[in-house]
mmCIF file of all heavy atoms in Angstrom:
data_model
loop_
_atom_site.group_PDB
_atom_site.id
_atom_site.type_symbol
_atom_site.label_atom_id
_atom_site.label_comp_id
_atom_site.label_asym_id
_atom_site.label_seq_id
_atom_site.Cartn_x
_atom_site.Cartn_y
_atom_site.Cartn_z
ATOM 1 N N LEU A 157 44.601 58.463 72.171
ATOM 2 C CA LEU A 157 45.740 58.487 71.255
ATOM 3 C C LEU A 157 46.813 57.523 71.732
ATOM 4 O O LEU A 157 46.910 57.197 72.919
ATOM 5 C CB LEU A 157 46.311 59.892 71.113
ATOM 6 C CG LEU A 157 47.109 60.538 72.256
ATOM 7 C CD1 LEU A 157 48.562 60.093 72.264
ATOM 8 C CD2 LEU A 157 47.053 62.053 72.137
ATOM 9 N N GLU A 158 47.611 57.056 70.790
ATOM 10 C CA GLU A 158 48.768 56.227 71.102
ATOM 11 C C GLU A 158 50.012 56.922 70.566
ATOM 12 O O GLU A 158 49.937 57.688 69.601
ATOM 13 C CB GLU A 158 48.622 54.844 70.485
ATOM 14 C CG GLU A 158 47.413 54.083 71.024
ATOM 15 C CD GLU A 158 47.383 52.627 70.577
ATOM 16 O OE1 GLU A 158 46.974 52.377 69.426
ATOM 17 O OE2 GLU A 158 47.784 51.754 71.364
ATOM 18 N N GLU A 159 51.137 56.652 71.180
ATOM 19 C CA GLU A 159 52.371 57.306 70.764
ATOM 20 C C GLU A 159 52.653 57.064 69.281
ATOM 21 O O GLU A 159 53.119 57.948 68.566
ATOM 22 C CB GLU A 159 53.545 56.817 71.615
ATOM 23 C CG GLU A 159 54.830 57.590 71.382
ATOM 24 C CD GLU A 159 55.934 57.190 72.339
ATOM 25 O OE1 GLU A 159 55.921 56.025 72.801
ATOM 26 O OE2 GLU A 159 56.814 58.020 72.615
ATOM 27 N N LYS A 160 52.287 55.890 68.790
ATOM 28 C CA LYS A 160 52.554 55.544 67.397
ATOM 29 C C LYS A 160 51.716 56.376 66.426
ATOM 30 O O LYS A 160 52.062 56.495 65.241
ATOM 31 C CB LYS A 160 52.297 54.060 67.154
ATOM 32 C CG LYS A 160 50.835 53.643 67.319
ATOM 33 C CD LYS A 160 50.657 52.161 67.058
ATOM 34 C CE LYS A 160 49.189 51.745 67.149
ATOM 35 N NZ LYS A 160 48.993 50.302 66.863
ATOM 36 N N ASP A 161 50.596 56.964 66.896
ATOM 37 C CA ASP A 161 49.747 57.776 66.018
ATOM 38 C C ASP A 161 50.518 58.946 65.419
ATOM 39 O O ASP A 161 50.249 59.365 64.293
ATOM 40 C CB ASP A 161 48.530 58.316 66.794
ATOM 41 C CG ASP A 161 47.527 57.223 67.130
ATOM 42 O OD1 ASP A 161 47.405 56.271 66.339
ATOM 43 O OD2 ASP A 161 46.862 57.333 68.176
ATOM 44 N N LEU A 162 51.452 59.507 66.178
ATOM 45 C CA LEU A 162 52.257 60.628 65.679
ATOM 46 C C LEU A 162 53.086 60.195 64.476
ATOM 47 O O LEU A 162 53.151 60.899 63.465
ATOM 48 C CB LEU A 162 53.166 61.151 66.790
ATOM 49 C CG LEU A 162 52.478 61.941 67.906
ATOM 50 C CD1 LEU A 162 53.349 62.003 69.142
ATOM 51 C CD2 LEU A 162 52.138 63.353 67.413
ATOM 52 N N LYS A 163 53.701 59.044 64.564
ATOM 53 C CA LYS A 163 54.558 58.562 63.482
ATOM 54 C C LYS A 163 53.751 58.058 62.289
ATOM 55 O O LYS A 163 54.227 58.077 61.157
ATOM 56 C CB LYS A 163 55.465 57.444 64.000
ATOM 57 C CG LYS A 163 56.415 57.894 65.107
ATOM 58 C CD LYS A 163 57.250 56.728 65.638
ATOM 59 C CE LYS A 163 58.172 57.178 66.767
ATOM 60 N NZ LYS A 163 58.961 56.052 67.324
ATOM 61 N N GLU A 164 52.511 57.634 62.552
ATOM 62 C CA GLU A 164 51.697 57.049 61.482
ATOM 63 C C GLU A 164 50.837 58.079 60.751
ATOM 64 O O GLU A 164 50.037 57.726 59.897
ATOM 65 C CB GLU A 164 50.817 55.937 62.067
ATOM 66 C CG GLU A 164 51.643 54.744 62.554
ATOM 67 C CD GLU A 164 50.786 53.643 63.150
ATOM 68 O OE1 GLU A 164 49.543 53.839 63.260
ATOM 69 O OE2 GLU A 164 51.339 52.588 63.492
ATOM 70 N N PHE A 167 48.206 62.899 63.006
ATOM 71 C CA PHE A 167 48.246 64.317 63.345
ATOM 72 C C PHE A 167 48.960 65.123 62.272
ATOM 73 O O PHE A 167 49.676 64.580 61.430
ATOM 74 C CB PHE A 167 48.954 64.515 64.688
ATOM 75 C CG PHE A 167 48.271 63.855 65.843
ATOM 76 C CD1 PHE A 167 48.663 62.592 66.266
ATOM 77 C CD2 PHE A 167 47.219 64.473 66.504
ATOM 78 C CE1 PHE A 167 48.029 61.969 67.328
ATOM 79 C CE2 PHE A 167 46.587 63.862 67.561
ATOM 80 C CZ PHE A 167 46.985 62.602 67.979
ATOM 81 N N SER A 170 54.536 65.350 63.489
ATOM 82 C CA SER A 170 55.051 63.991 63.661
ATOM 83 C C SER A 170 55.764 63.781 64.989
ATOM 84 O O SER A 170 56.275 62.698 65.251
ATOM 85 C CB SER A 170 56.014 63.650 62.516
ATOM 86 O OG SER A 170 57.078 64.586 62.478
ATOM 87 N N VAL A 172 55.967 65.264 69.410
ATOM 88 C CA VAL A 172 55.425 66.101 70.477
ATOM 89 C C VAL A 172 56.147 67.449 70.505
ATOM 90 O O VAL A 172 55.549 68.478 70.822
ATOM 91 C CB VAL A 172 55.559 65.384 71.838
ATOM 92 C CG1 VAL A 172 55.011 66.264 72.959
ATOM 93 C CG2 VAL A 172 54.816 64.062 71.814
ATOM 94 N N LEU A 228 54.879 66.314 76.723
ATOM 95 C CA LEU A 228 55.697 65.115 76.540
ATOM 96 C C LEU A 228 55.161 63.961 77.389
ATOM 97 O O LEU A 228 55.144 62.807 76.954
ATOM 98 C CB LEU A 228 57.152 65.409 76.905
ATOM 99 C CG LEU A 228 57.923 66.289 75.923
ATOM 100 C CD1 LEU A 228 59.250 66.742 76.534
ATOM 101 C CD2 LEU A 228 58.184 65.543 74.614
ATOM 102 N N ALA A 231 52.083 61.860 75.792
ATOM 103 C CA ALA A 231 52.286 60.902 74.704
ATOM 104 C C ALA A 231 53.299 59.816 75.022
ATOM 105 O O ALA A 231 53.305 58.773 74.349
ATOM 106 C CB ALA A 231 52.725 61.651 73.442
ATOM 107 N N LYS A 232 54.142 60.018 75.991
ATOM 108 C CA LYS A 232 55.232 59.076 76.252
ATOM 109 C C LYS A 232 54.708 57.673 76.547
ATOM 110 O O LYS A 232 53.968 57.451 77.507
ATOM 111 C CB LYS A 232 56.092 59.567 77.421
ATOM 112 C CG LYS A 232 57.295 58.680 77.705
ATOM 113 C CD LYS A 232 58.182 59.272 78.770
ATOM 114 C CE LYS A 232 59.293 58.320 79.166
ATOM 115 N NZ LYS A 232 60.115 57.916 77.989
ATOM 116 N N ASP A 233 55.079 56.730 75.672
ATOM 117 C CA ASP A 233 54.731 55.307 75.808
ATOM 118 C C ASP A 233 53.221 55.083 75.936
ATOM 119 O O ASP A 233 52.788 54.076 76.502
ATOM 120 C CB ASP A 233 55.434 54.682 77.033
ATOM 121 C CG ASP A 233 56.951 54.781 76.954
ATOM 122 O OD1 ASP A 233 57.492 54.649 75.841
ATOM 123 O OD2 ASP A 233 57.596 55.001 78.000
ATOM 124 N N ARG A 234 52.429 55.985 75.395
ATOM 125 C CA ARG A 234 50.973 55.867 75.552
ATOM 126 C C ARG A 234 50.410 54.771 74.638
ATOM 127 O O ARG A 234 50.665 54.757 73.439
ATOM 128 C CB ARG A 234 50.297 57.207 75.256
ATOM 129 C CG ARG A 234 48.843 57.277 75.733
ATOM 130 C CD ARG A 234 48.230 58.638 75.490
ATOM 131 N NE ARG A 234 46.935 58.769 76.134
ATOM 132 C CZ ARG A 234 46.736 59.258 77.333
ATOM 133 N NH1 ARG A 234 47.771 59.711 78.031
ATOM 134 N NH2 ARG A 234 45.520 59.336 77.858
ATOM 135 N N LYS A 235 49.626 53.877 75.226
ATOM 136 C CA LYS A 235 48.998 52.793 74.492
ATOM 137 C C LYS A 235 47.533 52.683 74.924
ATOM 138 O O LYS A 235 47.209 52.849 76.103
ATOM 139 C CB LYS A 235 49.698 51.459 74.761
ATOM 140 C CG LYS A 235 51.136 51.389 74.264
ATOM 141 C CD LYS A 235 51.745 50.038 74.589
ATOM 142 C CE LYS A 235 53.190 49.956 74.125
ATOM 143 N NZ LYS A 235 53.799 48.651 74.484
ATOM 144 N N LEU A 236 46.680 52.382 73.966
ATOM 145 C CA LEU A 236 45.257 52.247 74.259
ATOM 146 C C LEU A 236 45.002 51.141 75.269
ATOM 147 O O LEU A 236 44.123 51.251 76.125
ATOM 148 C CB LEU A 236 44.492 51.971 72.956
ATOM 149 C CG LEU A 236 42.965 51.996 73.020
ATOM 150 C CD1 LEU A 236 42.471 53.356 73.478
ATOM 151 C CD2 LEU A 236 42.376 51.647 71.661
#
Side-chain angles (χ1 to χ4, degrees):
L157 72 82
E158 298 189 281
E159 188 174 28
K160 65 180 183 179
D161 289 328
L162 287 161
K163 298 177 181 178
E164 293 179 356
F167 298 95
S170 58
V172 179
L228 288 168
K232 183 174 174 57
D233 301 323
R234 195 177 189 93
K235 295 179 181 178
L236 189 60

